[in-house]
Amino acid sequence: MSTGHQLPPGTGDGDAAASSRPPAPEPTHAERARTLVAGANRGVLSTVALDPAGYPFGSVATYAIDDAGRPIVFVSTMAEHTRNAAADPRASLIVTEAFPEGSDPLAAGRVTLIGDLLEVGGDDRPAVRGRYLAANPASAYYIDFGDFSFWRLELRSVRYVGGYGRMSWVEAADYAVAEADPLAGEPAIGILDHMNADHGDSLVVMARVLGGRADATEAAMTAVDRYGFDLVVGGPSGRAALRLGFDAPVAMPAAVRPAMIRLVERARREA
Amino acid sequence: MSTGHQLPPGTGDGDAAASSRPPAPEPTHAERARTLVAGANRGVLSTVALDPAGYPFGSVATYAIDDAGRPIVFVSTMAEHTRNAAADPRASLIVTEAFPEGSDPLAAGRVTLIGDLLEVGGDDRPAVRGRYLAANPASAYYIDFGDFSFWRLELRSVRYVGGYGRMSWVEAADYAVAEADPLAGEPAIGILDHMNADHGDSLVVMARVLGGRADATEAAMTAVDRYGFDLVVGGPSGRAALRLGFDAPVAMPAAVRPAMIRLVERARREA
């Protein structure tokens, strides 16, 4: 784990102080940003327009990321954004989390990566070509066209918005070394489905004993990451969100099951 | 109809000249852009960042449009894009057409509206409030918060991209008077479903007689708008796209049925 976990500002568990439980660990905003960007392959690129001069110009772009999380786009030399970037490299790429049709788009996560968009030189081309092609299989039809080129966004700063009131500026250096969550995407969906379908009783016991919700009668898992998981817990005192942490970060999906069993067994012993 | 239909550059039916049929009428790019923007309520706003100064900054915004198609956004005074626009009004809003998950995002339509983002004054507030609320029901919870304000994008130019190789700059004045297609959205989906499910034989006859595809053995409708519809036609000579026009533009969904019957009857008479 190249970056330790920290509590992002303003996301502490308000209940923790009252019950003297330590706050459950959670991903940093740098890690959440990196996870979101790594989990998608398209966004909106903003460049500085040549005409009308100086206006910020939004366009659709598909991308891959390199080891430092920098986006690599593959663009036609005739496209507006390419001509804009050739004249002025200042740019940003915003990537938004997928959300169900009809839900509030402002509640979904998004990341704006800000920096300088520079053409990738010939020596780097084979490496970025492989990455881009892997992330965008549809590009196989034109990836070797002569009038397309690769450009890399050299990052200056990163804006993370996790939804209403959960946002911060992230240092580009922190984003560069942050690791995407190993459970993001399909593994997390599978874990949530399995826990909610087959282990509701275990979730309630954990909420009661480990989460300080002694009155819990129902609990549903709403998110999971390497550091722990989020529950919505219901009982006579009402419904509230609750976060519980694993004893140690899990490095891969297969490590979730033993980590979860350890928590459940401890909760049952102490119940 | 305030704007006549024209063939956008580069979208002519290559087959028309050969068969001396007149090209089928189709929406202008101004009309396509207006239809796309009217059919959505969220996009990515690009503003000029205060920090890092001068960089184009992409953010998520929800919007409504006014009678001239200008987007009205409702934003927190503390948000980055609001502080950016207060210092420098230059902005753009990009709206993308919905497309199925997993399909190529570069094949979907998008419109970039470019202009100056200016705060809406007190007198205009009630009118824009109603429009915004109608387009964004979720905003009812905070629409009367004091630290949010309405901003309108005064347009300078419009970039329309309909997919690969189908794009143009649209004059802001043409976009301002263009009408959104009356069939867009649910009506068009219903028409396509109905025609493909129940009237495949009529589509083939129209393709043969009105479309000059004498060898047609199958035809499927892929799009419909006030001026006509698109078919994919198959037969011994291969599969190809074909566009057929209504005799006159249809003003509302209920007018499609008689317009279609007229075409089918003529095709059957001339078959």
Side-chain angles (χ1 to χ4, degrees):
Chain A
M1 201 66 33
S2 53
T3 52
H5 51 261
Q6 312 157 8
L7 273 183
T11 57
D13 176 353
D15 190 44
S19 67
S20 79
R21 285 182 297 110
E26 60 181 293
T28 63
H29 281 188
E31 288 171 331
R32 290 190 189 276
R34 183 68 176 265
T35 299
L36 200 164
V37 172
N41 67 351
R42 64 187 157 86
V44 167
L45 188 64
S46 296
T47 51
V48 179
L50 286 166
D51 181 24
Y55 279 71
F57 178 82
S59 58
V60 172
T62 47
Y63 70 89
I65 58 171
D66 67 11
D67 287 336
R70 294 176 297 192
I72 292 148
V73 299
F74 182 59
V75 290
S76 163
T77 54
M78 292 176 299
E80 294 295 325
H81 45 216
T82 314
R83 301 193 305 132
N84 292 345
D88 185 335
R90 294 176 297 178
S92 71
L93 179 74
I94 181 169
V95 182
T96 54
E97 199 172 37
F99 58 93
E101 195 58 42
S103 68
D104 182 357
L106 299 179
R110 56 265 195 193
V111 176
T112 306
L113 303 169
I114 306 161
D116 294 294
L117 190 61
L118 303 172
E119 188 167 357
V120 174
D123 289 353
D124 285 356
R125 199 181 146 95
V128 302
R129 180 186 181 281
R131 293 229 176 199
Y132 184 86
L133 189 55
N136 301 279
S139 70
Y141 299 105
Y142 56 92
I143 199 159
D144 293 317
F145 282 12
D147 56 349
F148 276 70
S149 51
F150 291 103
W151 296 63
R152 182 190 288 120
L153 191 61
E154 301 285 351
L155 302 184
R156 288 182 58 124
S157 56
V158 175
R159 179 72 173 169
Y160 172 74
V161 181
Y164 287 105
R166 175 169 152 186
M167 55 194 66
S168 66
W169 286 97
V170 169
E171 294 291 329
D174 292 341
Y175 169 86
V177 297
E179 291 176 19
D181 197 275
L183 309 184
E186 293 295 331
I189 293 167
I191 293 164
L192 262 57
D193 285 351
H194 173 67
M195 292 303 295
N196 289 326
D198 297 346
H199 298 288
D201 55 337
S202 296
L203 297 178
V204 170
V205 170
M206 287 191 286
R208 287 181 181 166
V209 177
L210 308 179
R213 271 299 300 268
D215 73 329
T217 55
E218 53 179 4
M221 193 181 287
T222 56
V224 61
D225 56 64
R226 78 190 93 180
Y227 300 119
F229 49 93
D230 296 336
L231 300 174
V232 171
V233 180
S237 68
R239 286 171 69 82
L242 176 68
R243 181 166 174 92
L244 295 176
F246 295 124
D247 291 335
V250 297
M252 64 185 74
V256 172
R257 189 179 141 82
M260 195 73 79
I261 288 172
R262 208 150 44 229
L263 289 184
V264 174
E265 288 180 346
R266 178 164 9 117
R268 294 201 188 279
R269 271 198 312 273
E270 298 174 12
Chain B
M1 201 64 37
S2 54
T3 52
H5 51 259
Q6 312 156 7
L7 272 184
T11 57
D13 177 352
D15 189 45
S19 68
S20 77
R21 285 181 295 111
E26 61 181 292
T28 64
H29 281 189
E31 289 172 331
R32 290 190 188 275
R34 184 68 176 265
T35 299
L36 200 164
V37 173
N41 68 350
R42 64 187 155 86
V44 166
L45 188 63
S46 297
T47 52
V48 180
L50 286 166
D51 181 23
Y55 279 72
F57 179 81
S59 58
V60 172
T62 48
Y63 70 90
I65 59 171
D66 68 11
D67 287 338
R70 293 175 297 191
I72 292 148
V73 298
F74 182 59
V75 290
S76 163
T77 53
M78 293 176 298
E80 295 294 325
H81 45 215
T82 315
R83 301 192 305 132
N84 292 345
D88 185 334
R90 294 178 296 178
S92 70
L93 179 75
I94 181 167
V95 181
T96 54
E97 198 172 37
F99 59 91
E101 194 60 41
S103 69
D104 183 355
L106 299 178
R110 57 265 194 193
V111 177
T112 305
L113 303 169
I114 304 160
D116 294 294
L117 190 60
L118 303 172
E119 188 167 357
V120 174
D123 290 354
D124 284 356
R125 199 180 146 94
V128 302
R129 181 185 180 283
R131 294 227 176 201
Y132 184 85
L133 190 55
N136 300 277
S139 70
Y141 300 104
Y142 56 91
I143 198 159
D144 293 318
F145 283 9
D147 56 349
F148 275 70
S149 52
F150 290 103
W151 295 64
R152 183 190 287 117
L153 190 62
E154 301 284 352
L155 301 184
R156 289 182 59 123
S157 56
V158 175
R159 178 73 174 169
Y160 173 73
V161 181
Y164 287 106
R166 175 169 151 188
M167 56 195 66
S168 67
W169 285 96
V170 169
E171 293 291 329
D174 293 341
Y175 169 86
V177 297
E179 291 176 18
D181 198 276
L183 308 184
E186 293 295 332
I189 292 168
I191 293 163
L192 262 55
D193 285 351
H194 173 68
M195 292 302 294
N196 288 327
D198 298 345
H199 299 288
D201 55 337
S202 296
L203 297 178
V204 169
V205 171
M206 287 191 286
R208 285 181 183 167
V209 177
L210 308 179
R213 272 296 302 265
D215 72 331
T217 54
E218 54 179 4
M221 194 181 284
T222 57
V224 62
D225 56 65
R226 80 191 91 182
Y227 300 118
F229 49 94
D230 297 335
L231 300 173
V232 172
V233 179
S237 68
R239 287 171 69 82
L242 176 69
R243 181 166 174 92
L244 296 176
F246 295 124
D247 291 337
V250 296
M252 64 186 72
V256 172
R257 189 178 140 83
M260 195 73 78
I261 288 172
R262 208 148 46 229
L263 289 184
V264 174
E265 288 179 345
R266 181 169 1 122
R268 293 198 188 280
R269 272 197 312 273
E270 298 175 12

